[in-house]
Structure formats: structure tokens, C-alpha cells
Amino acid sequence: MAEKKSLGKEFSKGIIIENPVLRLVLGTCPTLATTTSVTSAIGMGISASIVLICSNIAISALRKVIPAKVRIPAYIVVIASFVTIVQMLVKAFVPVLNEQLGVYLPLIVVNCIILGRAEAFASKNGVLASAVDGLGMGIGFTAALFVMGTIREILGAGTFLAGFGGLIGNNFDGFSIPFLNSNPILIFILAPGGFFVFGLVMALANKLAESKGKPKAELKGCENCPMAKICNVRDKVEGCDKKEVEA
Amino acid sequence: MELTKGLIALFLTMILTQNFILAKFLGICPFLGVSKKLDTALGMSLAVIFVMALSTAVTYPINKYILVANNLEYLQTIVFILVIAALVQMVEIVLKKYIPALYNSLGIYLPLITTNCAVLGVVTLNVDNGYDFIHSLICSLGGGVGFLVAMVMFAGVRSRLESCDVPKFLKGLPITLIAASLVSVSFLGFAGLVEGIFG
């Protein structure tokens, strides 16, 4: 019974309390780059989630075999293998998505969320718990991308879910928003709009967290970073407590 | 002459219009994480330029003569990330042993760079765009210098931000992102510049 309860907790923490994008501030590059449309945001979210779940399972299963000293390269190999598999599947079955994500699809390898969960969770917990953790974190990541993508696509292109049919194999082409459709605020789908919307969504998340009495999201520099234990920059960055990281 | 012109145009494009951080969103983590102080921003960027150029120089022949020659293109992602990781590790060891002064100023940033998307990004972009060796090298150098420009500029913006009275709910990361958005707007102004000069 206790087991069941804690699994539920592992699952739900990734979605809200420890949302990887809005609370832990990980995986910012794909969050900004692939949210120009809801379709590519969902595609990115699902691809990254699949890699996350699979690599969490594999790393957790191998956690007693991998020597501690070479664990980071070992994790990178495991993650890169799954990314390659996902890349091949996407190229074969959803070529539209491959075009939309472009270089960001292979870049899932260096997505800090995946390496971060491998280091912080999968290397210490059982297979089932790691799979559930990966699922929760993956849904949290996808949800954050979905919110960002929705705001940016509606304001910046005047459409919602445009081209979504390409993802699921029919010709559904989303909805068009009256007025905004003919007068889109183009800057929202350009680079500056990405930073701007991310900043506002983050502010909103902080506000909500505050009203619930939780601390606000802060780029703690190192605490959440998967490379924390082997990196020396933390001595130079403010708010980066060496002891805290090692504890 | 035509080649030189093309290379200069590519170099400027990578710095101004296709800036890695502000237009392509590659390497956002160090951009937000270590841009608080000018000296850390500078050290990190110089290390990035070095690693980007070096890994391009090493992965290009590996890709051309081993992977493409044997129809193993699907292994690119795995091979590239491993080569970059091994390269960074080796550079770190060599620097630590032979040039400790340089290690203390730049070397400490090296482990962070392994998982920096800008490095894997530039290598993958070079392959996707089908650049030859010299274009790949210029593309990574330009990308690295663009990274440096954005980091140093933003370090200045952030030091100003410290003394500002920001609304409570925007404090910290949100206002930093909005400031980044404004810096990014200013770079939009360069659109068409390179084509205008060299076109």
C-alpha cells in the first residue's frame, strides 16, 4: 500500500510541484525553440518524454552495473541511443515533425531534464519508480510546452493546432482565431516572443506557487544541474553552494 | 575572392542574424546561469568558442571518412556526442597538466560545455547544411563569437537589472527572460544586413 502511494507521488510531482520547465528551469532550449506552434510543441514533448521514460528505465536497471566514475558518459550513451531510435522512428512515420523540429530532435541528447533525472532519480531508484518518474516529468514537460505553444501560436499566427493532422495522420488543420488570423502579432512566434512569453508564464507560475506557500522558481545555478558534481564553475557562480550540491 | 566573400558573409550571419543564443535558442542554460558577472560570462564564452571550433574540426573528418563512407549516418548523434565528451575531457587534462594558468581561467568551464546544446548543435547544423570543412569551421567560429557577443552584452544588461526596482512577481528569472527578449529584439534589427552588404 505504501508503495502504491509513493508511486502516485512520484508521478504527480513532475507535473506540478517539480515541473521540469517552470519549477526546476531545465530544458529551456527546446522550450523556447519548439513552441512556435502547438503541433511542434506537442511533438517535441512526446519525443522527449519517450526518450526520458526509456532512458530512466534502462539507467535504473543498469544502476548497479555502471561504475560511479564513468556514469555520466554511460548515461549519455544510453540517452543518445534512445534519441537515435526516436529520430529514426520520427523520420519514418512522421516526416512532417522531423522537418519542424529539425536540429532540435537530435539535441534531445543534451536536454538537461533527461540527464538530470538520470543522475538525480534513476541512478538511485528502482525500475518501476524511475519509469513513473519519467512519465510524470515527461507529462510536465509536454504540458509546459503546450501552454507556451498555445499562447505563442494564437497570438503570433492566429491559429490553434495548425497542421496537427500531420502528426496523427489525417488532414485536420486546427482552428483559426477570428481577427488574429488576419492580423497576427508576428513577434510572438519570432525569437523575442519566445523569451517574453516564457518570462510571463514563469512569473505566473511563481505567483501561483507563492499563493500556495511554495518557494518561487529560481535558477539555482547548480542544484538542479546534472553536471553539478563534476563541475568547478559553481565556485564562481553566486548562490552555488558546494556543500549543498555534494550533500 | 568569391570564397572569401562567402565566408565573411557566413561569419557575420552567424554572429548577427543567426545568433546562437538570441535567434536559435542554443545554449540558453549558460546564458541564464553564468551571465551574472562579466568575467564568468567571458570565460565561459571563450571556452565555448574553443570547444566548438575544435569539435567541428574533429567531427568533420570522422563524419566524412568513417560514417558517410560506410553508410553509417544514423550513428551521427551518438558518435558526435561521444567525440565531444572525450575531446572536452582530453583538453581539460592537457590544460590542467601543462598550462595551469589557462586551466584556472577557462578550464573550469569545460565539463559544463559537454552538455551544452550549442556545441552539439553547431556540429549537427554543419552536417545538415552540407558545409565543407572550411565553411563548417567558419560557421562554428561565427557561432562561438555570436555566443560571446550575446553573453557579454547580457552580462551588462543584468548588472543594470540588479539595481532596478522590479515588480515582486517578476523578480529573478522572469525579468531576466523579458530582458533577454528585448536584447533579442535588438538583434532582429540586423535582419537583411548581411544580404545587403554582400548580396
Side-chain angles (χ1 to χ4, degrees):
Chain A
M1 196 60 209
E3 172 83 333
K4 224 175 200 172
K5 203 175 162 191
S6 72
L7 274 185
K9 220 172 158 189
E10 301 302 351
F11 175 70
S12 62
K13 73 164 193 274
I15 302 176
I16 299 170
I17 307 171
E18 284 184 31
N19 186 298
V21 178
L22 297 174
R23 307 292 304 152
L24 303 182
V25 204
L26 292 172
T28 39
C29 305
T31 307
L32 290 164
T34 61
T35 50
T36 48
S37 75
V38 182
T39 308
S40 63
I42 294 176
M44 181 70 202
I46 293 175
S47 315
S49 304
I50 294 172
V51 175
L52 178 57
I53 296 167
C54 295
S55 67
N56 255 7
I57 293 174
I59 287 164
S60 155
L62 292 170
R63 69 185 188 280
K64 290 188 179 120
V65 185
I66 299 174
K69 274 193 175 165
V70 293
R71 66 184 193 291
I72 298 282
Y75 297 162
I76 292 178
V77 177
V78 171
I79 295 167
S81 315
F82 284 115
V83 170
T84 307
I85 295 171
V86 168
Q87 214 180 336
M88 288 164 110
L89 289 174
V90 169
K91 265 183 194 158
F93 295 105
V94 212
V96 192
L97 185 65
N98 184 44
E99 268 165 44
Q100 277 177 353
L101 296 182
V103 70
Y104 297 100
L105 195 56
L107 285 182
I108 296 177
V109 179
V110 281
N111 187 324
C112 333
I113 298 174
I114 299 174
L115 196 57
R117 291 327 286 173
E119 171 80 4
F121 196 91
S123 60
K124 292 173 196 133
N125 290 283
V127 175
L128 189 61
S130 302
V132 172
D133 173 77
L135 184 65
M137 285 285 165
I139 294 177
F141 180 60
T142 313
L145 288 189
F146 179 76
V147 171
M148 290 263 303
T150 309
I151 299 173
R152 288 182 72 187
E153 192 185 335
I154 289 181
L155 291 176
T159 55
F160 179 60
L161 286 171
F164 190 68
L167 217 61
I168 49 175
N170 60 28
N171 51 14
F172 173 68
D173 202 29
F175 311 96
S176 80
I177 313 295
F179 184 70
L180 277 172
N181 193 25
S182 45
N183 306 289
I185 313 166
L186 192 62
I187 194 134
F188 277 101
I189 55 170
L190 296 176
F195 284 113
F196 185 69
V197 172
F198 193 24
L200 291 189
V201 172
M202 186 82 81
L204 190 67
N206 281 347
K207 185 90 186 155
L208 289 177
E210 199 188 78
S211 67
K212 291 263 190 313
K214 299 265 183 339
K216 64 178 183 177
E218 200 58 67
L219 197 66
K220 287 175 195 125
C222 303
E223 202 181 292
N224 301 322
C225 172
M227 307 303 281
K229 278 184 193 151
I230 54 167
C231 126
N232 310 309
V233 187
R234 57 177 187 265
D235 303 334
K236 286 209 164 192
V237 180
E238 278 172 64
C240 229
D241 195 348
K242 206 168 188 171
K243 281 169 200 154
E244 203 175 283
V245 173
E246 269 156 15
Chain B
M1 193 59 213
E2 205 50 37
L3 179 71
T4 328
K5 213 169 135 184
L7 289 178
I8 296 173
L10 177 65
F11 187 69
L12 285 179
T13 309
M14 293 312 290
I15 298 175
L16 297 176
T17 47
Q18 295 285 318
N19 189 293
F20 261 42
I21 293 177
L22 298 169
K24 286 196 176 147
F25 303 119
L26 296 171
I28 299 290
C29 296
F31 179 61
L32 297 175
V34 291
S35 66
K36 264 188 189 154
K37 278 198 227 140
L38 191 61
D39 60 335
T40 48
L42 207 59
M44 178 79 186
S45 318
L46 290 176
V48 166
I49 297 181
F50 179 68
V51 172
M52 267 162 91
L54 193 64
S55 45
T56 305
V58 173
T59 50
Y60 183 84
I62 291 180
N63 181 46
K64 188 166 180 193
Y65 298 111
I66 300 179
L67 296 182
V68 177
N70 294 307
N71 289 323
L72 292 171
E73 285 99 334
Y74 65 91
L75 284 177
Q76 272 162 354
T77 311
I78 301 184
V79 169
F80 289 169
I81 188 77
L82 282 180
V83 168
I84 293 169
L87 204 65
V88 169
Q89 201 72 48
M90 267 174 355
V91 171
E92 199 192 350
I93 294 170
V94 170
L95 276 186
K96 209 173 187 172
K97 178 100 170 84
Y98 294 105
I99 326 174
L102 191 62
Y103 176 78
N104 284 330
S105 54
L106 295 187
I108 54 166
Y109 301 100
L110 287 173
L112 265 191
I113 293 174
T114 317
T115 51
N116 183 341
C117 23
V119 178
L120 185 62
V122 78
V123 171
T124 316
L125 273 177
N126 284 335
V127 172
D128 285 356
N129 291 342
Y131 287 150
D132 61 10
F133 186 71
I134 187 82
H135 278 90
S136 301
L137 212 53
I138 293 295
C139 177
S140 10
L141 275 178
V145 175
F147 189 89
L148 175 113
V149 169
M151 286 283 276
V152 169
M153 271 177 60
F154 200 58
V157 173
R158 275 186 94 161
S159 67
R160 283 292 184 95
L161 217 54
E162 297 274 295
S163 57
C164 291
D165 185 20
V166 179
K168 194 177 155 219
F169 68 102
L170 282 177
K171 268 201 180 110
L173 210 49
I175 195 69
T176 311
L177 285 163
I178 290 168
S181 153
L182 294 178
V183 174
S184 176
V185 169
S186 71
F187 269 66
L188 275 188
F190 291 120
L193 175 90
V194 178
E195 292 80 357
I197 297 175
F198 295 96

